[in-house]
Amino acid sequence: MAWWKAWSEAKGKSVTGALNFDPVPDAQTLYKAMKGFGTDEQAIIDVLTKRTNMQRQQIAISFKGQFGKDLIESLKSELSGDFERLIVALMYSPFKYDAKELHDAMKGVGTSEDVIIEILASRTKAQIKEIIKAYKEEYGSDLEEDIKSDTSGYFEQILVCLLQGERDNEYFYVDIALARQDAETLHAAGEKIKGTDEVQFITILCKRSATHLLKVFEEYQKLAGKSIEDSIKSETHGSLEDAMLAIVKCTRNVHRYFAERLYHALKGAGTHDGTLIRVIVSRSEVDLNLIKAEFKHIAGKTLSSMILDDTSGDYKTALLNLCGSD
């Protein structure tokens, strides 16, 4: 399943929200949960993990109107650790949340390249435009300029190219002659020469539609006798390799891509909580049920069972609520 199809899958949502929704009593429940000594974490979980993002935004407006307080700031002052991080993430609108994650990935010393790759490789053209807008509104700076100042070389080039959002123009008609030509160009830019012409790889991977790229990958396999993934692994390295592979994975099957991200976040010692929170929050109203099915294929166990083993307390309860039943 090509990556751009994911956004029309109604059955993919693990969070569907409350029927007969009324933000006023929800805001009151949250206020009571945080008022006085101690916090009723379960009440916060019951409200915020069982509402859609749009409903949460209305609760925040009602909370401010009734109690004169900002809901995000109130939650931050009452909660802590990964549980706080998860609950606060739920309160951001999707584009503001992506903008925040990109900003956090670049601020301070070092850059979390994997976060930038994940977001830019998996979002549609329309979504990227909204993220750029939200980033400017929230941080007063230009996302492209910030990426340029934080990265360099071919890695910078591929990210800037992804920001243009050209590759999801949905042409269902595939020009087979052009797909073969692209496959030949990629082959000539990598396997056939000493060294690699990275610019050709970047241009084709970032500027062609998903349907077209699937045909290119097929033709490349025939021509080179190996998959495009294998060639990328042998021709590139580091963050550039990661970015190229993410584009290919998202093109082939975006649900599997996110399932792999979750699996690597949970397996082994320790948990990559940032990835776990971001993927579950950002996909819960998009395609998390489809991601869960792919996760089971990869891990041989359910996402819920790995969350049960790897997390604890209110954080675990909230994550499991967002994941829904297996």
PDB file of all heavy atoms in Angstrom, residues 128-156:
ATOM      1  N   ILE A 128       2.604  19.107   5.064  1.00  0.00           N
ATOM      2  CA  ILE A 128       3.883  19.819   5.189  1.00  0.00           C
ATOM      3  C   ILE A 128       3.673  21.327   5.104  1.00  0.00           C
ATOM      4  O   ILE A 128       4.261  22.090   5.875  1.00  0.00           O
ATOM      5  CB  ILE A 128       4.916  19.305   4.143  1.00  0.00           C
ATOM      6  CG1 ILE A 128       5.445  17.924   4.589  1.00  0.00           C
ATOM      7  CG2 ILE A 128       6.086  20.273   3.981  1.00  0.00           C
ATOM      8  CD1 ILE A 128       6.323  17.209   3.602  1.00  0.00           C
ATOM      9  N   LYS A 129       2.794  21.765   4.219  1.00  0.00           N
ATOM     10  CA  LYS A 129       2.487  23.201   4.109  1.00  0.00           C
ATOM     11  C   LYS A 129       1.944  23.749   5.432  1.00  0.00           C
ATOM     12  O   LYS A 129       2.321  24.832   5.882  1.00  0.00           O
ATOM     13  CB  LYS A 129       1.450  23.431   2.995  1.00  0.00           C
ATOM     14  CG  LYS A 129       2.064  23.522   1.608  1.00  0.00           C
ATOM     15  CD  LYS A 129       1.005  23.650   0.540  1.00  0.00           C
ATOM     16  CE  LYS A 129       0.545  25.082   0.384  1.00  0.00           C
ATOM     17  NZ  LYS A 129      -0.314  25.267  -0.821  1.00  0.00           N
ATOM     18  N   GLU A 130       1.055  22.975   6.066  1.00  0.00           N
ATOM     19  CA  GLU A 130       0.469  23.387   7.357  1.00  0.00           C
ATOM     20  C   GLU A 130       1.504  23.380   8.480  1.00  0.00           C
ATOM     21  O   GLU A 130       1.472  24.230   9.371  1.00  0.00           O
ATOM     22  CB  GLU A 130      -0.715  22.483   7.716  1.00  0.00           C
ATOM     23  CG  GLU A 130      -1.932  22.649   6.820  1.00  0.00           C
ATOM     24  CD  GLU A 130      -2.541  24.045   6.888  1.00  0.00           C
ATOM     25  OE1 GLU A 130      -2.434  24.706   7.935  1.00  0.00           O
ATOM     26  OE2 GLU A 130      -3.119  24.483   5.878  1.00  0.00           O
ATOM     27  N   ILE A 131       2.410  22.404   8.440  1.00  0.00           N
ATOM     28  CA  ILE A 131       3.482  22.326   9.454  1.00  0.00           C
ATOM     29  C   ILE A 131       4.390  23.550   9.339  1.00  0.00           C
ATOM     30  O   ILE A 131       4.762  24.162  10.351  1.00  0.00           O
ATOM     31  CB  ILE A 131       4.300  21.011   9.305  1.00  0.00           C
ATOM     32  CG1 ILE A 131       3.427  19.795   9.649  1.00  0.00           C
ATOM     33  CG2 ILE A 131       5.547  21.041  10.191  1.00  0.00           C
ATOM     34  CD1 ILE A 131       3.991  18.466   9.153  1.00  0.00           C
ATOM     35  N   ILE A 132       4.746  23.927   8.112  1.00  0.00           N
ATOM     36  CA  ILE A 132       5.604  25.102   7.876  1.00  0.00           C
ATOM     37  C   ILE A 132       4.927  26.351   8.445  1.00  0.00           C
ATOM     38  O   ILE A 132       5.558  27.178   9.114  1.00  0.00           O
ATOM     39  CB  ILE A 132       5.902  25.271   6.367  1.00  0.00           C
ATOM     40  CG1 ILE A 132       6.817  24.129   5.873  1.00  0.00           C
ATOM     41  CG2 ILE A 132       6.546  26.631   6.070  1.00  0.00           C
ATOM     42  CD1 ILE A 132       6.943  24.013   4.357  1.00  0.00           C
ATOM     43  N   LYS A 133       3.625  26.458   8.206  1.00  0.00           N
ATOM     44  CA  LYS A 133       2.840  27.608   8.687  1.00  0.00           C
ATOM     45  C   LYS A 133       2.800  27.626  10.233  1.00  0.00           C
ATOM     46  O   LYS A 133       3.041  28.655  10.870  1.00  0.00           O
ATOM     47  CB  LYS A 133       1.422  27.514   8.125  1.00  0.00           C
ATOM     48  CG  LYS A 133       0.665  28.830   8.082  1.00  0.00           C
ATOM     49  CD  LYS A 133      -0.550  28.719   7.180  1.00  0.00           C
ATOM     50  CE  LYS A 133      -1.798  28.526   7.998  1.00  0.00           C
ATOM     51  NZ  LYS A 133      -2.993  28.277   7.192  1.00  0.00           N
ATOM     52  N   ALA A 134       2.508  26.457  10.819  1.00  0.00           N
ATOM     53  CA  ALA A 134       2.436  26.350  12.289  1.00  0.00           C
ATOM     54  C   ALA A 134       3.787  26.658  12.927  1.00  0.00           C
ATOM     55  O   ALA A 134       3.863  27.316  13.975  1.00  0.00           O
ATOM     56  CB  ALA A 134       1.973  24.946  12.685  1.00  0.00           C
ATOM     57  N   TYR A 135       4.859  26.203  12.294  1.00  0.00           N
ATOM     58  CA  TYR A 135       6.210  26.433  12.800  1.00  0.00           C
ATOM     59  C   TYR A 135       6.507  27.934  12.865  1.00  0.00           C
ATOM     60  O   TYR A 135       7.029  28.452  13.855  1.00  0.00           O
ATOM     61  CB  TYR A 135       7.224  25.726  11.898  1.00  0.00           C
ATOM     62  CG  TYR A 135       8.633  25.658  12.450  1.00  0.00           C
ATOM     63  CD1 TYR A 135       9.062  24.561  13.193  1.00  0.00           C
ATOM     64  CD2 TYR A 135       9.549  26.689  12.221  1.00  0.00           C
ATOM     65  CE1 TYR A 135      10.353  24.490  13.696  1.00  0.00           C
ATOM     66  CE2 TYR A 135      10.834  26.636  12.730  1.00  0.00           C
ATOM     67  CZ  TYR A 135      11.233  25.524  13.464  1.00  0.00           C
ATOM     68  OH  TYR A 135      12.518  25.460  13.969  1.00  0.00           O
ATOM     69  N   LYS A 136       6.141  28.637  11.789  1.00  0.00           N
ATOM     70  CA  LYS A 136       6.359  30.094  11.715  1.00  0.00           C
ATOM     71  C   LYS A 136       5.556  30.809  12.807  1.00  0.00           C
ATOM     72  O   LYS A 136       6.061  31.702  13.497  1.00  0.00           O
ATOM     73  CB  LYS A 136       5.930  30.580  10.324  1.00  0.00           C
ATOM     74  CG  LYS A 136       6.177  32.051  10.071  1.00  0.00           C
ATOM     75  CD  LYS A 136       7.606  32.270   9.639  1.00  0.00           C
ATOM     76  CE  LYS A 136       7.833  33.710   9.191  1.00  0.00           C
ATOM     77  NZ  LYS A 136       9.241  33.952   8.884  1.00  0.00           N
ATOM     78  N   GLU A 137       4.289  30.390  12.974  1.00  0.00           N
ATOM     79  CA  GLU A 137       3.417  31.014  13.982  1.00  0.00           C
ATOM     80  C   GLU A 137       3.937  30.789  15.407  1.00  0.00           C
ATOM     81  O   GLU A 137       3.922  31.684  16.241  1.00  0.00           O
ATOM     82  CB  GLU A 137       1.997  30.440  13.880  1.00  0.00           C
ATOM     83  CG  GLU A 137       1.193  30.998  12.710  1.00  0.00           C
ATOM     84  CD  GLU A 137      -0.084  30.217  12.444  1.00  0.00           C
ATOM     85  OE1 GLU A 137      -0.462  29.367  13.290  1.00  0.00           O
ATOM     86  OE2 GLU A 137      -0.702  30.440  11.386  1.00  0.00           O
ATOM     87  N   GLU A 138       4.391  29.560  15.674  1.00  0.00           N
ATOM     88  CA  GLU A 138       4.805  29.195  17.037  1.00  0.00           C
ATOM     89  C   GLU A 138       6.195  29.730  17.404  1.00  0.00           C
ATOM     90  O   GLU A 138       6.433  30.120  18.539  1.00  0.00           O
ATOM     91  CB  GLU A 138       4.805  27.668  17.204  1.00  0.00           C
ATOM     92  CG  GLU A 138       3.425  27.032  17.174  1.00  0.00           C
ATOM     93  CD  GLU A 138       2.523  27.512  18.297  1.00  0.00           C
ATOM     94  OE1 GLU A 138       2.880  27.316  19.466  1.00  0.00           O
ATOM     95  OE2 GLU A 138       1.482  28.124  17.993  1.00  0.00           O
ATOM     96  N   TYR A 139       7.124  29.690  16.441  1.00  0.00           N
ATOM     97  CA  TYR A 139       8.524  29.975  16.780  1.00  0.00           C
ATOM     98  C   TYR A 139       9.090  31.205  16.087  1.00  0.00           C
ATOM     99  O   TYR A 139      10.244  31.565  16.311  1.00  0.00           O
ATOM    100  CB  TYR A 139       9.393  28.734  16.498  1.00  0.00           C
ATOM    101  CG  TYR A 139       8.836  27.519  17.208  1.00  0.00           C
ATOM    102  CD1 TYR A 139       8.179  26.515  16.491  1.00  0.00           C
ATOM    103  CD2 TYR A 139       8.897  27.415  18.598  1.00  0.00           C
ATOM    104  CE1 TYR A 139       7.605  25.427  17.152  1.00  0.00           C
ATOM    105  CE2 TYR A 139       8.329  26.344  19.258  1.00  0.00           C
ATOM    106  CZ  TYR A 139       7.683  25.352  18.530  1.00  0.00           C
ATOM    107  OH  TYR A 139       7.115  24.300  19.183  1.00  0.00           O
ATOM    108  N   GLY A 140       8.277  31.835  15.224  1.00  0.00           N
ATOM    109  CA  GLY A 140       8.702  33.075  14.580  1.00  0.00           C
ATOM    110  C   GLY A 140       9.873  32.922  13.640  1.00  0.00           C
ATOM    111  O   GLY A 140      10.545  33.892  13.289  1.00  0.00           O
ATOM    112  N   SER A 141      10.156  31.688  13.235  1.00  0.00           N
ATOM    113  CA  SER A 141      11.253  31.489  12.283  1.00  0.00           C
ATOM    114  C   SER A 141      10.833  30.538  11.172  1.00  0.00           C
ATOM    115  O   SER A 141       9.810  29.864  11.268  1.00  0.00           O
ATOM    116  CB  SER A 141      12.515  30.988  12.987  1.00  0.00           C
ATOM    117  OG  SER A 141      12.288  29.745  13.601  1.00  0.00           O
ATOM    118  N   ASP A 142      11.638  30.500  10.139  1.00  0.00           N
ATOM    119  CA  ASP A 142      11.324  29.727   8.944  1.00  0.00           C
ATOM    120  C   ASP A 142      11.882  28.309   9.086  1.00  0.00           C
ATOM    121  O   ASP A 142      13.070  28.130   9.354  1.00  0.00           O
ATOM    122  CB  ASP A 142      11.949  30.435   7.733  1.00  0.00           C
ATOM    123  CG  ASP A 142      11.595  29.772   6.429  1.00  0.00           C
ATOM    124  OD1 ASP A 142      10.484  30.014   5.924  1.00  0.00           O
ATOM    125  OD2 ASP A 142      12.426  29.000   5.925  1.00  0.00           O
ATOM    126  N   LEU A 143      11.030  27.316   8.915  1.00  0.00           N
ATOM    127  CA  LEU A 143      11.449  25.915   9.110  1.00  0.00           C
ATOM    128  C   LEU A 143      12.587  25.533   8.171  1.00  0.00           C
ATOM    129  O   LEU A 143      13.565  24.901   8.591  1.00  0.00           O
ATOM    130  CB  LEU A 143      10.246  24.976   8.912  1.00  0.00           C
ATOM    131  CG  LEU A 143      10.515  23.471   9.030  1.00  0.00           C
ATOM    132  CD1 LEU A 143      11.166  23.102  10.360  1.00  0.00           C
ATOM    133  CD2 LEU A 143       9.208  22.683   8.857  1.00  0.00           C
ATOM    134  N   GLU A 144      12.477  25.941   6.917  1.00  0.00           N
ATOM    135  CA  GLU A 144      13.536  25.605   5.947  1.00  0.00           C
ATOM    136  C   GLU A 144      14.875  26.217   6.366  1.00  0.00           C
ATOM    137  O   GLU A 144      15.915  25.543   6.326  1.00  0.00           O
ATOM    138  CB  GLU A 144      13.145  26.090   4.546  1.00  0.00           C
ATOM    139  CG  GLU A 144      14.143  25.654   3.484  1.00  0.00           C
ATOM    140  CD  GLU A 144      13.714  26.011   2.060  1.00  0.00           C
ATOM    141  OE1 GLU A 144      12.508  25.918   1.745  1.00  0.00           O
ATOM    142  OE2 GLU A 144      14.607  26.369   1.269  1.00  0.00           O
ATOM    143  N   GLU A 145      14.835  27.470   6.795  1.00  0.00           N
ATOM    144  CA  GLU A 145      16.075  28.135   7.223  1.00  0.00           C
ATOM    145  C   GLU A 145      16.674  27.448   8.454  1.00  0.00           C
ATOM    146  O   GLU A 145      17.888  27.269   8.552  1.00  0.00           O
ATOM    147  CB  GLU A 145      15.823  29.623   7.524  1.00  0.00           C
ATOM    148  CG  GLU A 145      15.496  30.465   6.294  1.00  0.00           C
ATOM    149  CD  GLU A 145      16.490  30.295   5.162  1.00  0.00           C
ATOM    150  OE1 GLU A 145      17.711  30.333   5.427  1.00  0.00           O
ATOM    151  OE2 GLU A 145      16.057  30.101   4.008  1.00  0.00           O
ATOM    152  N   ASP A 146      15.820  27.057   9.387  1.00  0.00           N
ATOM    153  CA  ASP A 146      16.303  26.375  10.593  1.00  0.00           C
ATOM    154  C   ASP A 146      16.927  25.022  10.251  1.00  0.00           C
ATOM    155  O   ASP A 146      17.947  24.635  10.830  1.00  0.00           O
ATOM    156  CB  ASP A 146      15.172  26.206  11.612  1.00  0.00           C
ATOM    157  CG  ASP A 146      14.843  27.515  12.333  1.00  0.00           C
ATOM    158  OD1 ASP A 146      15.493  28.539  12.011  1.00  0.00           O
ATOM    159  OD2 ASP A 146      13.946  27.529  13.201  1.00  0.00           O
ATOM    160  N   ILE A 147      16.303  24.305   9.325  1.00  0.00           N
ATOM    161  CA  ILE A 147      16.859  23.010   8.903  1.00  0.00           C
ATOM    162  C   ILE A 147      18.208  23.218   8.214  1.00  0.00           C
ATOM    163  O   ILE A 147      19.176  22.493   8.481  1.00  0.00           O
ATOM    164  CB  ILE A 147      15.861  22.246   7.993  1.00  0.00           C
ATOM    165  CG1 ILE A 147      14.751  21.618   8.860  1.00  0.00           C
ATOM    166  CG2 ILE A 147      16.563  21.160   7.169  1.00  0.00           C
ATOM    167  CD1 ILE A 147      13.616  20.973   8.103  1.00  0.00           C
ATOM    168  N   LYS A 148      18.277  24.242   7.378  1.00  0.00           N
ATOM    169  CA  LYS A 148      19.544  24.530   6.678  1.00  0.00           C
ATOM    170  C   LYS A 148      20.663  24.883   7.664  1.00  0.00           C
ATOM    171  O   LYS A 148      21.812  24.505   7.462  1.00  0.00           O
ATOM    172  CB  LYS A 148      19.353  25.695   5.698  1.00  0.00           C
ATOM    173  CG  LYS A 148      18.681  25.305   4.397  1.00  0.00           C
ATOM    174  CD  LYS A 148      18.508  26.554   3.529  1.00  0.00           C
ATOM    175  CE  LYS A 148      17.903  26.224   2.181  1.00  0.00           C
ATOM    176  NZ  LYS A 148      17.607  27.448   1.409  1.00  0.00           N
ATOM    177  N   SER A 149      20.311  25.638   8.718  1.00  0.00           N
ATOM    178  CA  SER A 149      21.361  26.048   9.664  1.00  0.00           C
ATOM    179  C   SER A 149      21.751  24.907  10.606  1.00  0.00           C
ATOM    180  O   SER A 149      22.790  24.956  11.255  1.00  0.00           O
ATOM    181  CB  SER A 149      20.934  27.281  10.461  1.00  0.00           C
ATOM    182  OG  SER A 149      19.850  26.955  11.302  1.00  0.00           O
ATOM    183  N   ASP A 150      20.918  23.868  10.668  1.00  0.00           N
ATOM    184  CA  ASP A 150      21.172  22.772  11.604  1.00  0.00           C
ATOM    185  C   ASP A 150      21.744  21.520  10.946  1.00  0.00           C
ATOM    186  O   ASP A 150      22.178  20.604  11.629  1.00  0.00           O
ATOM    187  CB  ASP A 150      19.866  22.398  12.322  1.00  0.00           C
ATOM    188  CG  ASP A 150      20.079  22.329  13.822  1.00  0.00           C
ATOM    189  OD1 ASP A 150      20.443  23.351  14.398  1.00  0.00           O
ATOM    190  OD2 ASP A 150      19.912  21.242  14.393  1.00  0.00           O
ATOM    191  N   THR A 151      21.682  21.457   9.610  1.00  0.00           N
ATOM    192  CA  THR A 151      22.174  20.275   8.892  1.00  0.00           C
ATOM    193  C   THR A 151      23.094  20.740   7.768  1.00  0.00           C
ATOM    194  O   THR A 151      23.234  21.932   7.528  1.00  0.00           O
ATOM    195  CB  THR A 151      20.995  19.467   8.302  1.00  0.00           C
ATOM    196  OG1 THR A 151      20.217  20.326   7.449  1.00  0.00           O
ATOM    197  CG2 THR A 151      20.102  18.898   9.386  1.00  0.00           C
ATOM    198  N   SER A 152      23.708  19.789   7.088  1.00  0.00           N
ATOM    199  CA  SER A 152      24.623  20.179   6.004  1.00  0.00           C
ATOM    200  C   SER A 152      24.690  19.093   4.936  1.00  0.00           C
ATOM    201  O   SER A 152      24.186  17.989   5.111  1.00  0.00           O
ATOM    202  CB  SER A 152      26.023  20.428   6.580  1.00  0.00           C
ATOM    203  OG  SER A 152      26.500  19.231   7.185  1.00  0.00           O
ATOM    204  N   GLY A 153      25.325  19.452   3.833  1.00  0.00           N
ATOM    205  CA  GLY A 153      25.597  18.492   2.758  1.00  0.00           C
ATOM    206  C   GLY A 153      24.354  17.903   2.114  1.00  0.00           C
ATOM    207  O   GLY A 153      23.309  18.553   2.015  1.00  0.00           O
ATOM    208  N   TYR A 154      24.492  16.648   1.694  1.00  0.00           N
ATOM    209  CA  TYR A 154      23.386  15.985   1.000  1.00  0.00           C
ATOM    210  C   TYR A 154      22.198  15.738   1.931  1.00  0.00           C
ATOM    211  O   TYR A 154      21.061  15.688   1.479  1.00  0.00           O
ATOM    212  CB  TYR A 154      23.847  14.656   0.387  1.00  0.00           C
ATOM    213  CG  TYR A 154      24.815  14.840  -0.754  1.00  0.00           C
ATOM    214  CD1 TYR A 154      26.108  14.312  -0.681  1.00  0.00           C
ATOM    215  CD2 TYR A 154      24.445  15.539  -1.904  1.00  0.00           C
ATOM    216  CE1 TYR A 154      27.003  14.484  -1.730  1.00  0.00           C
ATOM    217  CE2 TYR A 154      25.339  15.722  -2.951  1.00  0.00           C
ATOM    218  CZ  TYR A 154      26.615  15.193  -2.860  1.00  0.00           C
ATOM    219  OH  TYR A 154      27.489  15.377  -3.893  1.00  0.00           O
ATOM    220  N   PHE A 155      22.473  15.589   3.221  1.00  0.00           N
ATOM    221  CA  PHE A 155      21.373  15.387   4.175  1.00  0.00           C
ATOM    222  C   PHE A 155      20.500  16.642   4.226  1.00  0.00           C
ATOM    223  O   PHE A 155      19.269  16.565   4.171  1.00  0.00           O
ATOM    224  CB  PHE A 155      21.912  15.036   5.566  1.00  0.00           C
ATOM    225  CG  PHE A 155      20.832  14.790   6.585  1.00  0.00           C
ATOM    226  CD1 PHE A 155      19.825  13.865   6.349  1.00  0.00           C
ATOM    227  CD2 PHE A 155      20.806  15.501   7.784  1.00  0.00           C
ATOM    228  CE1 PHE A 155      18.811  13.646   7.287  1.00  0.00           C
ATOM    229  CE2 PHE A 155      19.807  15.282   8.726  1.00  0.00           C
ATOM    230  CZ  PHE A 155      18.801  14.357   8.467  1.00  0.00           C
ATOM    231  N   GLU A 156      21.144  17.790   4.289  1.00  0.00           N
ATOM    232  CA  GLU A 156      20.396  19.066   4.243  1.00  0.00           C
ATOM    233  C   GLU A 156      19.587  19.148   2.944  1.00  0.00           C
ATOM    234  O   GLU A 156      18.405  19.514   2.946  1.00  0.00           O
ATOM    235  CB  GLU A 156      21.375  20.243   4.308  1.00  0.00           C
ATOM    236  CG  GLU A 156      20.721  21.614   4.159  1.00  0.00           C
ATOM    237  CD  GLU A 156      21.712  22.705   3.771  1.00  0.00           C
ATOM    238  OE1 GLU A 156      22.853  22.693   4.285  1.00  0.00           O
ATOM    239  OE2 GLU A 156      21.342  23.577   2.953  1.00  0.00           O
TER     240      GLU A 156
END
